[in-house]
Amino acid sequence: PRVSVIGAGNVGRTLAQRIAEKNLADVVLLDIVNGLPQGIALDLMEAQGIELHDSEIIGTNNYEDTAGSDIVVITAGLARKPGMSRDDLMNVNAKIVVEAATKCLQYSPEAIFIVITNPLDVMTYLVWQSTGLPPQRVMGMAGVLDSSRLQTFIAMELGVSTADVHAMVLGGHGDLMLPLPRYCTVSGVPITELMDEITINRLVERTRNGGAEIVKLLQTGGAYYAPASSACTMVETILRNQSRLLPAAAYLKGEYGLQDVYLGVPCRLGCRGVESILEVRLTDAERLDLHTSAASVRQNVHLALD
Ligand code: NAI
């Protein structure tokens, strides 16, 4: 199989490395900067004999080279800089993402699209809208990352193996995300049985600020190792038709009482993309939070379309 990764920045190049070293697919890494994707691809290829994988990695500035991709992952776009408003970032990234998606579709009409560029839920909506693809073939990556952050914090707090912890975070990728402690477990035991409410709330808050915590530490940009791992899991699930249940930004058609919006919900992912959306039972408060998150995404979509 073939996966195109658009944007050879921190997230894109790390994702390319993960896909290749897991032997999942050949990777086409595309960026607007001349030489950048070519240099990274060559560097990664020069480790092939040591890492012992068979994936070919091609760096390019030309969309023709992405032809025949099974999956296109979009990471292209600006990260926030001082003096830039959120709306500035949104409008700049909207143009980049829409152009990338429509050009990729031209050469890979059968591809499934995974969007990573922020603001995530808004960019995913724009990719769906501009490509005119069936919604099951366009999704956004955020929930796997937000859930794995919560999973990590729970494991650290309890001193248990991360592998035994399962966590679920729904909603938009931002301050209004909706971590669901009621549905987090350690080897099947709900964490609400293992921790007090104050501790749980602390972990939930840390998850909400998980991205910002890393931006503050790095000073030079955002997180990319865990984001790349999260996207790679989605790529693997789709390529291998694994039917894993993963939170992803998906197009809602009435699920959770919401319509015509992209939002993080539990999805069964397989070779056709979002095979189905699972509706978990929510309390009135959780449902209200999800609707608030949806309203914020919708408002930003309108701003981006203006
Ligand atoms: P980065 O700045 O390291 O890389 C972005 C790359 O996009 C650069 O190499 C740049 O040259 C390229 N680019 C810009 N315009 C382009 C165009 N028109 N065509 C092709 N390539 C273009 O940024 P990083 O850290 O890789 O993050 C990328 C995006 O992913 C950001 O918007 C970031 O906020 C988002 N992100 C989202 C996460 C999520 O959970 N959904 C997690 C981490 C990052």
Side-chain angles (χ1 to χ4, degrees):
R2 193 174 169 89
V3 176
S4 285
V5 178
I6 312 305
N10 282 334
V11 176
R13 66 181 70 173
T14 312
L15 175 61
Q17 180 184 2
R18 296 246 198 275
I19 292 171
E21 291 180 358
K22 282 191 156 187
N23 242 330
L24 291 177
D26 292 334
V27 182
V28 180
L29 187 60
L30 184 146
D31 201 281
I32 199 168
V33 178
N34 279 323
L36 179 74
Q38 291 88 344
I40 289 163
L42 182 59
D43 195 7
L44 285 169
M45 280 304 281
E46 287 168 358
Q48 196 190 36
I50 303 169
E51 296 296 337
L52 295 177
H53 63 79
D54 307 311
S55 305
E56 191 184 358
I57 305 142
I58 302 157
T60 184
N61 308 114
N62 188 343
Y63 278 92
E64 269 176 50
D65 295 326
T66 65
S69 297
D70 300 280
I71 300 180
V72 170
V73 187
I74 301 179
T75 79
L78 301 193
R80 214 166 157 178
K81 292 198 188 75
M84 256 182 124
S85 83
R86 193 153 181 273
D87 293 352
D88 290 340
L89 184 65
M90 198 163 62
N91 291 328
V92 175
N93 281 357
K95 282 200 189 77
I96 292 172
V97 158
V98 165
E99 191 200 1
T102 45
K103 283 191 175 160
C104 284
L105 185 64
Q106 207 180 317
Y107 295 103
S108 302
E110 304 297 327
I112 289 170
F113 285 72
I114 302 174
V115 182
I116 300 187
T117 307
N118 273 321
L120 189 270
D121 308 87
V122 180
M123 294 303 124
T124 311
Y125 186 97
L126 296 182
V127 166
W128 165 71
Q129 200 197 40
S130 59
T131 55
L133 282 170
Q136 59 267 32
R137 278 174 53 195
V138 179
M139 69 193 86
M141 186 292 290
V144 176
L145 173 64
D146 295 328
S147 302
S148 80
R149 282 180 174 149
L150 181 54
Q151 174 196 39
T152 307
F153 300 148
I154 293 168
M156 281 160 60
E157 184 68 30
L158 293 173
V160 299
S161 163
T162 321
D164 286 337
V165 180
H166 291 273
M168 180 63 80
V169 178
L170 307 186
H173 183 54
D175 303 341
L176 293 171
M177 73 176 74
L178 180 62
L180 290 175
R182 290 192 306 123
Y183 290 120
C184 298
T185 62
V186 181
S187 297
V189 182
I191 63 160
T192 44
E193 302 292 320
L194 300 168
M195 289 184 227
D196 59 37
E197 209 179 310
I198 294 171
T199 308
I200 291 175
N201 287 343
R202 178 163 49 77
L203 303 187
V204 161
E205 260 331 284
R206 191 170 178 195
T207 302
R208 283 210 177 97
N209 299 319
E213 184 177 356
I214 289 183
V215 168
K216 201 172 158 204
L217 288 166
L218 294 181
Q219 294 283 317
T220 50
Y224 52 97
Y225 289 115
S229 295
S230 305
C232 191
T233 292
M234 293 171 73
V235 167
E236 182 175 19
T237 303
I238 293 166
L239 289 178
R240 302 210 164 137
N241 196 19
Q242 286 172 327
S243 294
R244 289 191 62 188
L245 189 72
L246 300 172
Y251 185 77
L252 299 181
K253 289 184 253 184
E255 296 88 348
Y256 295 95
L258 291 163
Q259 243 160 18
D260 192 35
V261 68
Y262 265 87
L263 205 64
V265 289
C267 298
R268 197 165 54 86
L269 298 187
C271 62
R272 287 182 295 264
V274 178
E275 306 271 352
S276 60
I277 292 172
L278 191 87
E279 272 192 86
V280 297
R281 212 169 291 148
L282 298 179
T283 63
D284 287 347
E286 288 163 351
R287 198 180 164 86
L288 187 66
D289 283 351
L290 196 69
H291 280 243
T292 307
S293 183
S296 150
V297 170
R298 219 180 246 130
Q299 195 184 357
N300 282 330
V301 166
H302 288 307
L303 282 174
L305 289 175
D306 268 353

